[in-house]
PDB file of all heavy atoms in Angstrom:
ATOM      1  N   THR A   9       1.175   9.311  -5.694  1.00  0.00           N
ATOM      2  CA  THR A   9       1.322  10.735  -5.398  1.00  0.00           C
ATOM      3  C   THR A   9       2.468  11.333  -6.185  1.00  0.00           C
ATOM      4  O   THR A   9       2.362  12.440  -6.695  1.00  0.00           O
ATOM      5  CB  THR A   9       1.582  10.952  -3.906  1.00  0.00           C
ATOM      6  OG1 THR A   9       2.693  10.158  -3.527  1.00  0.00           O
ATOM      7  CG2 THR A   9       0.370  10.580  -3.091  1.00  0.00           C
ATOM      8  N   HIS A  17       4.371  16.647  -2.817  1.00  0.00           N
ATOM      9  CA  HIS A  17       3.788  15.711  -1.876  1.00  0.00           C
ATOM     10  C   HIS A  17       4.863  14.847  -1.249  1.00  0.00           C
ATOM     11  O   HIS A  17       5.706  14.294  -1.930  1.00  0.00           O
ATOM     12  CB  HIS A  17       2.780  14.809  -2.589  1.00  0.00           C
ATOM     13  CG  HIS A  17       1.685  15.601  -3.191  1.00  0.00           C
ATOM     14  ND1 HIS A  17       0.780  16.300  -2.450  1.00  0.00           N
ATOM     15  CD2 HIS A  17       1.370  15.836  -4.485  1.00  0.00           C
ATOM     16  CE1 HIS A  17      -0.042  16.917  -3.259  1.00  0.00           C
ATOM     17  NE2 HIS A  17       0.307  16.661  -4.506  1.00  0.00           N
ATOM     18  N   PHE A  21       0.550  10.333   4.881  1.00  0.00           N
ATOM     19  CA  PHE A  21      -0.870  10.215   4.555  1.00  0.00           C
ATOM     20  C   PHE A  21      -1.401  11.616   4.226  1.00  0.00           C
ATOM     21  O   PHE A  21      -1.225  12.543   5.023  1.00  0.00           O
ATOM     22  CB  PHE A  21      -1.548   9.617   5.794  1.00  0.00           C
ATOM     23  CG  PHE A  21      -2.994   9.324   5.626  1.00  0.00           C
ATOM     24  CD1 PHE A  21      -3.439   8.509   4.598  1.00  0.00           C
ATOM     25  CD2 PHE A  21      -3.911   9.845   6.521  1.00  0.00           C
ATOM     26  CE1 PHE A  21      -4.771   8.221   4.469  1.00  0.00           C
ATOM     27  CE2 PHE A  21      -5.241   9.558   6.389  1.00  0.00           C
ATOM     28  CZ  PHE A  21      -5.672   8.742   5.362  1.00  0.00           C
ATOM     29  N   PRO A  22      -2.035  11.823   3.067  1.00  0.00           N
ATOM     30  CA  PRO A  22      -2.344  13.189   2.607  1.00  0.00           C
ATOM     31  C   PRO A  22      -3.038  14.093   3.625  1.00  0.00           C
ATOM     32  O   PRO A  22      -2.637  15.246   3.744  1.00  0.00           O
ATOM     33  CB  PRO A  22      -3.213  12.949   1.382  1.00  0.00           C
ATOM     34  CG  PRO A  22      -2.892  11.592   0.926  1.00  0.00           C
ATOM     35  CD  PRO A  22      -2.422  10.812   2.094  1.00  0.00           C
ATOM     36  N   PRO A  23      -4.074  13.607   4.352  1.00  0.00           N
ATOM     37  CA  PRO A  23      -4.700  14.532   5.293  1.00  0.00           C
ATOM     38  C   PRO A  23      -3.760  15.006   6.399  1.00  0.00           C
ATOM     39  O   PRO A  23      -4.025  16.026   7.037  1.00  0.00           O
ATOM     40  CB  PRO A  23      -5.852  13.712   5.881  1.00  0.00           C
ATOM     41  CG  PRO A  23      -6.149  12.707   4.852  1.00  0.00           C
ATOM     42  CD  PRO A  23      -4.831  12.356   4.243  1.00  0.00           C
ATOM     43  N   ASN A  27       2.213  20.304   4.656  1.00  0.00           N
ATOM     44  CA  ASN A  27       2.596  21.302   3.649  1.00  0.00           C
ATOM     45  C   ASN A  27       1.422  22.194   3.240  1.00  0.00           C
ATOM     46  O   ASN A  27       1.606  23.372   2.986  1.00  0.00           O
ATOM     47  CB  ASN A  27       3.135  20.597   2.391  1.00  0.00           C
ATOM     48  CG  ASN A  27       4.536  20.117   2.600  1.00  0.00           C
ATOM     49  OD1 ASN A  27       5.289  20.708   3.381  1.00  0.00           O
ATOM     50  ND2 ASN A  27       4.900  19.033   1.930  1.00  0.00           N
ATOM     51  N   HIS A  28       0.239  21.596   3.156  1.00  0.00           N
ATOM     52  CA  HIS A  28      -0.896  22.378   2.639  1.00  0.00           C
ATOM     53  C   HIS A  28      -1.778  22.939   3.753  1.00  0.00           C
ATOM     54  O   HIS A  28      -2.809  23.520   3.474  1.00  0.00           O
ATOM     55  CB  HIS A  28      -1.730  21.518   1.682  1.00  0.00           C
ATOM     56  CG  HIS A  28      -2.218  20.237   2.297  1.00  0.00           C
ATOM     57  ND1 HIS A  28      -3.165  20.213   3.254  1.00  0.00           N
ATOM     58  CD2 HIS A  28      -1.838  18.953   2.087  1.00  0.00           C
ATOM     59  CE1 HIS A  28      -3.387  18.965   3.629  1.00  0.00           C
ATOM     60  NE2 HIS A  28      -2.576  18.171   2.927  1.00  0.00           N
ATOM     61  N   SER A  31      -2.253  26.815   3.558  1.00  0.00           N
ATOM     62  CA  SER A  31      -3.123  27.189   2.443  1.00  0.00           C
ATOM     63  C   SER A  31      -4.583  26.875   2.755  1.00  0.00           C
ATOM     64  O   SER A  31      -5.478  27.687   2.521  1.00  0.00           O
ATOM     65  CB  SER A  31      -2.670  26.442   1.186  1.00  0.00           C
ATOM     66  OG  SER A  31      -3.776  26.223   0.333  1.00  0.00           O
ATOM     67  N   GLN A  32      -4.798  25.681   3.330  1.00  0.00           N
ATOM     68  CA  GLN A  32      -6.195  25.298   3.652  1.00  0.00           C
ATOM     69  C   GLN A  32      -6.782  26.255   4.675  1.00  0.00           C
ATOM     70  O   GLN A  32      -7.945  26.661   4.561  1.00  0.00           O
ATOM     71  CB  GLN A  32      -6.223  23.878   4.220  1.00  0.00           C
ATOM     72  CG  GLN A  32      -5.891  22.839   3.187  1.00  0.00           C
ATOM     73  CD  GLN A  32      -6.848  21.673   3.282  1.00  0.00           C
ATOM     74  OE1 GLN A  32      -8.046  21.852   3.186  1.00  0.00           O
ATOM     75  NE2 GLN A  32      -6.323  20.483   3.476  1.00  0.00           N
ATOM     76  N   TRP A  35      -7.615  29.645   3.079  1.00  0.00           N
ATOM     77  CA  TRP A  35      -8.819  29.614   2.232  1.00  0.00           C
ATOM     78  C   TRP A  35     -10.076  29.300   3.028  1.00  0.00           C
ATOM     79  O   TRP A  35     -11.155  29.804   2.717  1.00  0.00           O
ATOM     80  CB  TRP A  35      -8.639  28.605   1.086  1.00  0.00           C
ATOM     81  CG  TRP A  35      -7.799  29.207   0.011  1.00  0.00           C
ATOM     82  CD1 TRP A  35      -6.471  29.036  -0.187  1.00  0.00           C
ATOM     83  CD2 TRP A  35      -8.239  30.148  -0.964  1.00  0.00           C
ATOM     84  NE1 TRP A  35      -6.046  29.801  -1.238  1.00  0.00           N
ATOM     85  CE2 TRP A  35      -7.105  30.492  -1.745  1.00  0.00           C
ATOM     86  CE3 TRP A  35      -9.466  30.736  -1.265  1.00  0.00           C
ATOM     87  CZ2 TRP A  35      -7.173  31.397  -2.799  1.00  0.00           C
ATOM     88  CZ3 TRP A  35      -9.526  31.616  -2.321  1.00  0.00           C
ATOM     89  CH2 TRP A  35      -8.398  31.946  -3.076  1.00  0.00           C
ATOM     90  N   LEU A  36      -9.911  28.498   4.073  1.00  0.00           N
ATOM     91  CA  LEU A  36     -11.069  28.228   4.933  1.00  0.00           C
ATOM     92  C   LEU A  36     -11.523  29.511   5.616  1.00  0.00           C
ATOM     93  O   LEU A  36     -12.723  29.818   5.663  1.00  0.00           O
ATOM     94  CB  LEU A  36     -10.718  27.166   5.987  1.00  0.00           C
ATOM     95  CG  LEU A  36     -11.887  26.754   6.871  1.00  0.00           C
ATOM     96  CD1 LEU A  36     -12.927  26.022   6.051  1.00  0.00           C
ATOM     97  CD2 LEU A  36     -11.419  25.873   8.017  1.00  0.00           C
ATOM     98  N   THR A  39     -13.209  31.673   2.854  1.00  0.00           N
ATOM     99  CA  THR A  39     -14.515  31.226   2.373  1.00  0.00           C
ATOM    100  C   THR A  39     -15.538  31.176   3.498  1.00  0.00           C
ATOM    101  O   THR A  39     -16.671  31.641   3.347  1.00  0.00           O
ATOM    102  CB  THR A  39     -14.414  29.836   1.719  1.00  0.00           C
ATOM    103  OG1 THR A  39     -13.760  28.955   2.630  1.00  0.00           O
ATOM    104  CG2 THR A  39     -13.620  29.890   0.443  1.00  0.00           C
ATOM    105  N   TYR A  44     -20.049  33.289   6.441  1.00  0.00           N
ATOM    106  CA  TYR A  44     -20.650  33.752   7.701  1.00  0.00           C
ATOM    107  C   TYR A  44     -21.235  35.148   7.523  1.00  0.00           C
ATOM    108  O   TYR A  44     -22.360  35.421   7.951  1.00  0.00           O
ATOM    109  CB  TYR A  44     -19.597  33.747   8.818  1.00  0.00           C
ATOM    110  CG  TYR A  44     -20.120  34.280  10.122  1.00  0.00           C
ATOM    111  CD1 TYR A  44     -20.931  33.491  10.929  1.00  0.00           C
ATOM    112  CD2 TYR A  44     -19.842  35.574  10.536  1.00  0.00           C
ATOM    113  CE1 TYR A  44     -21.436  33.970  12.121  1.00  0.00           C
ATOM    114  CE2 TYR A  44     -20.344  36.070  11.723  1.00  0.00           C
ATOM    115  CZ  TYR A  44     -21.139  35.260  12.518  1.00  0.00           C
ATOM    116  OH  TYR A  44     -21.641  35.744  13.685  1.00  0.00           O
ATOM    117  N   ARG A  54     -33.071  37.855   6.047  1.00  0.00           N
ATOM    118  CA  ARG A  54     -34.086  37.822   4.994  1.00  0.00           C
ATOM    119  C   ARG A  54     -35.069  36.675   5.225  1.00  0.00           C
ATOM    120  O   ARG A  54     -36.285  36.859   5.133  1.00  0.00           O
ATOM    121  CB  ARG A  54     -33.405  37.667   3.633  1.00  0.00           C
ATOM    122  CG  ARG A  54     -34.367  37.828   2.495  1.00  0.00           C
ATOM    123  CD  ARG A  54     -33.717  37.479   1.184  1.00  0.00           C
ATOM    124  NE  ARG A  54     -32.828  38.524   0.713  1.00  0.00           N
ATOM    125  CZ  ARG A  54     -32.008  38.363  -0.333  1.00  0.00           C
ATOM    126  NH1 ARG A  54     -31.973  37.209  -0.957  1.00  0.00           N
ATOM    127  NH2 ARG A  54     -31.240  39.334  -0.729  1.00  0.00           N
ATOM    128  N   VAL A  55     -34.519  35.487   5.535  1.00  0.00           N
ATOM    129  CA  VAL A  55     -35.414  34.345   5.779  1.00  0.00           C
ATOM    130  C   VAL A  55     -36.284  34.627   7.000  1.00  0.00           C
ATOM    131  O   VAL A  55     -37.482  34.335   7.009  1.00  0.00           O
ATOM    132  CB  VAL A  55     -34.598  33.047   5.966  1.00  0.00           C
ATOM    133  CG1 VAL A  55     -35.529  31.889   6.299  1.00  0.00           C
ATOM    134  CG2 VAL A  55     -33.823  32.723   4.713  1.00  0.00           C
ATOM    135  N   ALA A  56     -35.663  35.226   8.034  1.00  0.00           N
ATOM    136  CA  ALA A  56     -36.451  35.546   9.229  1.00  0.00           C
ATOM    137  C   ALA A  56     -37.586  36.500   8.862  1.00  0.00           C
ATOM    138  O   ALA A  56     -38.727  36.335   9.324  1.00  0.00           O
ATOM    139  CB  ALA A  56     -35.546  36.171  10.291  1.00  0.00           C
ATOM    140  N   ILE A  58     -38.976  36.812   5.926  1.00  0.00           N
ATOM    141  CA  ILE A  58     -39.972  36.073   5.131  1.00  0.00           C
ATOM    142  C   ILE A  58     -40.902  35.294   6.063  1.00  0.00           C
ATOM    143  O   ILE A  58     -42.132  35.345   5.927  1.00  0.00           O
ATOM    144  CB  ILE A  58     -39.274  35.106   4.149  1.00  0.00           C
ATOM    145  CG1 ILE A  58     -38.569  35.883   3.045  1.00  0.00           C
ATOM    146  CG2 ILE A  58     -40.270  34.130   3.546  1.00  0.00           C
ATOM    147  CD1 ILE A  58     -37.673  35.018   2.180  1.00  0.00           C
ATOM    148  N   ARG A  62     -44.802  35.889   6.616  1.00  0.00           N
ATOM    149  CA  ARG A  62     -45.800  34.846   6.371  1.00  0.00           C
ATOM    150  C   ARG A  62     -46.689  34.667   7.587  1.00  0.00           C
ATOM    151  O   ARG A  62     -47.905  34.566   7.482  1.00  0.00           O
ATOM    152  CB  ARG A  62     -45.113  33.533   6.026  1.00  0.00           C
ATOM    153  CG  ARG A  62     -46.101  32.401   5.821  1.00  0.00           C
ATOM    154  CD  ARG A  62     -45.429  31.180   5.281  1.00  0.00           C
ATOM    155  NE  ARG A  62     -44.574  31.529   4.158  1.00  0.00           N
ATOM    156  CZ  ARG A  62     -43.398  30.970   3.937  1.00  0.00           C
ATOM    157  NH1 ARG A  62     -42.945  30.035   4.741  1.00  0.00           N
ATOM    158  NH2 ARG A  62     -42.667  31.332   2.906  1.00  0.00           N
TER     159      ARG A  62
ATOM    160  N   ILE B  11      -6.386   6.536  -1.452  1.00  0.00           N
ATOM    161  CA  ILE B  11      -5.928   7.712  -0.717  1.00  0.00           C
ATOM    162  C   ILE B  11      -5.792   8.921  -1.641  1.00  0.00           C
ATOM    163  O   ILE B  11      -5.813  10.062  -1.211  1.00  0.00           O
ATOM    164  CB  ILE B  11      -4.560   7.411  -0.036  1.00  0.00           C
ATOM    165  CG1 ILE B  11      -4.669   6.165   0.832  1.00  0.00           C
ATOM    166  CG2 ILE B  11      -4.092   8.571   0.806  1.00  0.00           C
ATOM    167  CD1 ILE B  11      -5.714   6.275   1.924  1.00  0.00           C
ATOM    168  N   ILE B  15      -5.553  13.979  -1.684  1.00  0.00           N
ATOM    169  CA  ILE B  15      -4.344  14.771  -1.898  1.00  0.00           C
ATOM    170  C   ILE B  15      -4.722  16.198  -2.283  1.00  0.00           C
ATOM    171  O   ILE B  15      -5.575  16.417  -3.159  1.00  0.00           O
ATOM    172  CB  ILE B  15      -3.483  14.140  -3.010  1.00  0.00           C
ATOM    173  CG1 ILE B  15      -2.966  12.782  -2.529  1.00  0.00           C
ATOM    174  CG2 ILE B  15      -2.316  15.044  -3.371  1.00  0.00           C
ATOM    175  CD1 ILE B  15      -2.259  12.001  -3.592  1.00  0.00           C
ATOM    176  N   VAL B  16      -4.089  17.134  -1.603  1.00  0.00           N
ATOM    177  CA  VAL B  16      -4.300  18.540  -1.924  1.00  0.00           C
ATOM    178  C   VAL B  16      -3.230  18.959  -2.921  1.00  0.00           C
ATOM    179  O   VAL B  16      -2.040  18.810  -2.649  1.00  0.00           O
ATOM    180  CB  VAL B  16      -4.207  19.391  -0.645  1.00  0.00           C
ATOM    181  CG1 VAL B  16      -4.346  20.862  -0.986  1.00  0.00           C
ATOM    182  CG2 VAL B  16      -5.282  18.961   0.337  1.00  0.00           C
ATOM    183  N   THR B  17      -3.676  19.443  -4.081  1.00  0.00           N
ATOM    184  CA  THR B  17      -2.685  19.865  -5.088  1.00  0.00           C
ATOM    185  C   THR B  17      -2.953  21.302  -5.491  1.00  0.00           C
ATOM    186  O   THR B  17      -4.112  21.714  -5.617  1.00  0.00           O
ATOM    187  CB  THR B  17      -2.790  18.993  -6.357  1.00  0.00           C
ATOM    188  OG1 THR B  17      -4.167  18.931  -6.733  1.00  0.00           O
ATOM    189  CG2 THR B  17      -2.252  17.617  -6.122  1.00  0.00           C
ATOM    190  N   GLY B  25       2.039  27.168  -1.119  1.00  0.00           N
ATOM    191  CA  GLY B  25       2.369  28.170  -0.121  1.00  0.00           C
ATOM    192  C   GLY B  25       1.109  28.505   0.649  1.00  0.00           C
ATOM    193  O   GLY B  25       0.074  27.866   0.457  1.00  0.00           O
ATOM    194  N   ALA B  26       1.197  29.510   1.487  1.00  0.00           N
ATOM    195  CA  ALA B  26       0.048  29.852   2.315  1.00  0.00           C
ATOM    196  C   ALA B  26      -1.129  30.325   1.463  1.00  0.00           C
ATOM    197  O   ALA B  26      -2.283  30.096   1.807  1.00  0.00           O
ATOM    198  CB  ALA B  26       0.431  30.927   3.321  1.00  0.00           C
ATOM    199  N   SER B  28      -1.636  29.575  -1.857  1.00  0.00           N
ATOM    200  CA  SER B  28      -1.877  28.810  -3.083  1.00  0.00           C
ATOM    201  C   SER B  28      -3.340  28.425  -3.194  1.00  0.00           C
ATOM    202  O   SER B  28      -3.969  28.032  -2.212  1.00  0.00           O
ATOM    203  CB  SER B  28      -1.068  27.520  -3.108  1.00  0.00           C
ATOM    204  OG  SER B  28       0.213  27.721  -2.627  1.00  0.00           O
ATOM    205  N   PHE B  29      -3.819  28.506  -4.425  1.00  0.00           N
ATOM    206  CA  PHE B  29      -5.191  28.076  -4.681  1.00  0.00           C
ATOM    207  C   PHE B  29      -5.154  26.602  -5.075  1.00  0.00           C
ATOM    208  O   PHE B  29      -4.659  26.242  -6.137  1.00  0.00           O
ATOM    209  CB  PHE B  29      -5.789  28.923  -5.811  1.00  0.00           C
ATOM    210  CG  PHE B  29      -7.252  28.720  -5.984  1.00  0.00           C
ATOM    211  CD1 PHE B  29      -8.146  29.285  -5.083  1.00  0.00           C
ATOM    212  CD2 PHE B  29      -7.757  27.961  -7.031  1.00  0.00           C
ATOM    213  CE1 PHE B  29      -9.509  29.112  -5.228  1.00  0.00           C
ATOM    214  CE2 PHE B  29      -9.129  27.774  -7.174  1.00  0.00           C
ATOM    215  CZ  PHE B  29      -9.991  28.354  -6.275  1.00  0.00           C
ATOM    216  N   SER B  33      -9.092  24.520  -1.880  1.00  0.00           N
ATOM    217  CA  SER B  33      -9.605  25.895  -1.909  1.00  0.00           C
ATOM    218  C   SER B  33     -10.765  26.005  -2.879  1.00  0.00           C
ATOM    219  O   SER B  33     -11.784  26.636  -2.583  1.00  0.00           O
ATOM    220  CB  SER B  33      -8.505  26.861  -2.342  1.00  0.00           C
ATOM    221  OG  SER B  33      -7.268  26.467  -1.842  1.00  0.00           O
ATOM    222  N   VAL B  48     -29.156  32.921  -0.453  1.00  0.00           N
ATOM    223  CA  VAL B  48     -29.299  34.317  -0.860  1.00  0.00           C
ATOM    224  C   VAL B  48     -30.139  34.433  -2.126  1.00  0.00           C
ATOM    225  O   VAL B  48     -31.147  35.142  -2.147  1.00  0.00           O
ATOM    226  CB  VAL B  48     -27.911  34.974  -1.051  1.00  0.00           C
ATOM    227  CG1 VAL B  48     -28.074  36.388  -1.562  1.00  0.00           C
ATOM    228  CG2 VAL B  48     -27.155  34.974   0.265  1.00  0.00           C
ATOM    229  N   THR B  51     -33.755  32.969  -1.806  1.00  0.00           N
ATOM    230  CA  THR B  51     -34.758  33.719  -1.038  1.00  0.00           C
ATOM    231  C   THR B  51     -34.964  35.111  -1.607  1.00  0.00           C
ATOM    232  O   THR B  51     -35.631  35.938  -0.986  1.00  0.00           O
ATOM    233  CB  THR B  51     -34.319  33.842   0.423  1.00  0.00           C
ATOM    234  OG1 THR B  51     -33.048  34.489   0.463  1.00  0.00           O
ATOM    235  CG2 THR B  51     -34.203  32.495   1.093  1.00  0.00           C
ATOM    236  N   VAL B  56     -44.284  35.075  -0.217  1.00  0.00           N
ATOM    237  CA  VAL B  56     -45.055  34.561   0.919  1.00  0.00           C
ATOM    238  C   VAL B  56     -45.344  33.074   0.717  1.00  0.00           C
ATOM    239  O   VAL B  56     -45.283  32.280   1.640  1.00  0.00           O
ATOM    240  CB  VAL B  56     -46.364  35.359   1.091  1.00  0.00           C
ATOM    241  CG1 VAL B  56     -47.243  34.719   2.142  1.00  0.00           C
ATOM    242  CG2 VAL B  56     -46.052  36.787   1.481  1.00  0.00           C
ATOM    243  N   GLN B  62     -36.692  28.380  -2.283  1.00  0.00           N
ATOM    244  CA  GLN B  62     -36.959  29.150  -1.061  1.00  0.00           C
ATOM    245  C   GLN B  62     -37.478  28.240   0.042  1.00  0.00           C
ATOM    246  O   GLN B  62     -37.146  28.416   1.215  1.00  0.00           O
ATOM    247  CB  GLN B  62     -37.969  30.264  -1.350  1.00  0.00           C
ATOM    248  CG  GLN B  62     -38.055  31.265  -0.203  1.00  0.00           C
ATOM    249  CD  GLN B  62     -39.140  32.290  -0.413  1.00  0.00           C
ATOM    250  OE1 GLN B  62     -39.336  32.782  -1.502  1.00  0.00           O
ATOM    251  NE2 GLN B  62     -39.853  32.607   0.646  1.00  0.00           N
ATOM    252  N   GLU B  66     -35.831  27.871   3.622  1.00  0.00           N
ATOM    253  CA  GLU B  66     -36.590  28.057   4.868  1.00  0.00           C
ATOM    254  C   GLU B  66     -36.504  26.815   5.751  1.00  0.00           C
ATOM    255  O   GLU B  66     -36.412  26.915   6.977  1.00  0.00           O
ATOM    256  CB  GLU B  66     -38.056  28.353   4.537  1.00  0.00           C
ATOM    257  CG  GLU B  66     -38.273  29.748   4.010  1.00  0.00           C
ATOM    258  CD  GLU B  66     -39.694  29.937   3.535  1.00  0.00           C
ATOM    259  OE1 GLU B  66     -40.542  29.078   3.853  1.00  0.00           O
ATOM    260  OE2 GLU B  66     -39.941  30.927   2.841  1.00  0.00           O
ATOM    261  N   TYR B  69     -33.246  26.843   7.457  1.00  0.00           N
ATOM    262  CA  TYR B  69     -33.283  27.867   8.506  1.00  0.00           C
ATOM    263  C   TYR B  69     -34.040  27.351   9.725  1.00  0.00           C
ATOM    264  O   TYR B  69     -33.555  27.415  10.855  1.00  0.00           O
ATOM    265  CB  TYR B  69     -33.970  29.116   7.952  1.00  0.00           C
ATOM    266  CG  TYR B  69     -34.120  30.251   8.949  1.00  0.00           C
ATOM    267  CD1 TYR B  69     -33.224  31.303   8.956  1.00  0.00           C
ATOM    268  CD2 TYR B  69     -35.175  30.272   9.862  1.00  0.00           C
ATOM    269  CE1 TYR B  69     -33.360  32.339   9.847  1.00  0.00           C
ATOM    270  CE2 TYR B  69     -35.314  31.307  10.758  1.00  0.00           C
ATOM    271  CZ  TYR B  69     -34.409  32.344  10.747  1.00  0.00           C
ATOM    272  OH  TYR B  69     -34.542  33.368  11.634  1.00  0.00           O
ATOM    273  N   GLN B 116     -10.409  16.697   5.457  1.00  0.00           N
ATOM    274  CA  GLN B 116      -9.099  17.170   5.878  1.00  0.00           C
ATOM    275  C   GLN B 116      -9.147  17.502   7.364  1.00  0.00           C
ATOM    276  O   GLN B 116      -9.957  18.317   7.796  1.00  0.00           O
ATOM    277  CB  GLN B 116      -8.703  18.412   5.076  1.00  0.00           C
ATOM    278  CG  GLN B 116      -8.619  18.157   3.584  1.00  0.00           C
ATOM    279  CD  GLN B 116      -7.461  17.232   3.220  1.00  0.00           C
ATOM    280  OE1 GLN B 116      -6.365  17.342   3.755  1.00  0.00           O
ATOM    281  NE2 GLN B 116      -7.718  16.293   2.320  1.00  0.00           N
ATOM    282  N   ILE B 117      -8.257  16.854   8.128  1.00  0.00           N
ATOM    283  CA  ILE B 117      -8.270  17.055   9.572  1.00  0.00           C
ATOM    284  C   ILE B 117      -8.013  18.519   9.929  1.00  0.00           C
ATOM    285  O   ILE B 117      -8.574  19.036  10.903  1.00  0.00           O
ATOM    286  CB  ILE B 117      -7.232  16.121  10.258  1.00  0.00           C
ATOM    287  CG1 ILE B 117      -7.265  16.270  11.781  1.00  0.00           C
ATOM    288  CG2 ILE B 117      -5.826  16.424   9.772  1.00  0.00           C
ATOM    289  CD1 ILE B 117      -8.397  15.578  12.441  1.00  0.00           C
TER     290      ILE B 117
END
Side-chain angles (χ1 to χ4, degrees):
Chain A
T9 54
H17 300 294
F21 184 56
N27 283 331
H28 56 70
S31 151
Q32 291 225 57
W35 281 98
L36 184 67
T39 52
Y44 177 77
R54 188 188 284 171
V55 177
I58 290 170
R62 178 171 312 142
Chain B
I11 305 301
I15 294 173
V16 177
T17 49
S28 319
F29 190 75
S33 324
V48 176
T51 58
V56 173
Q62 192 186 319
E66 286 173 13
Y69 178 99
Q116 300 292 319
I117 182 77

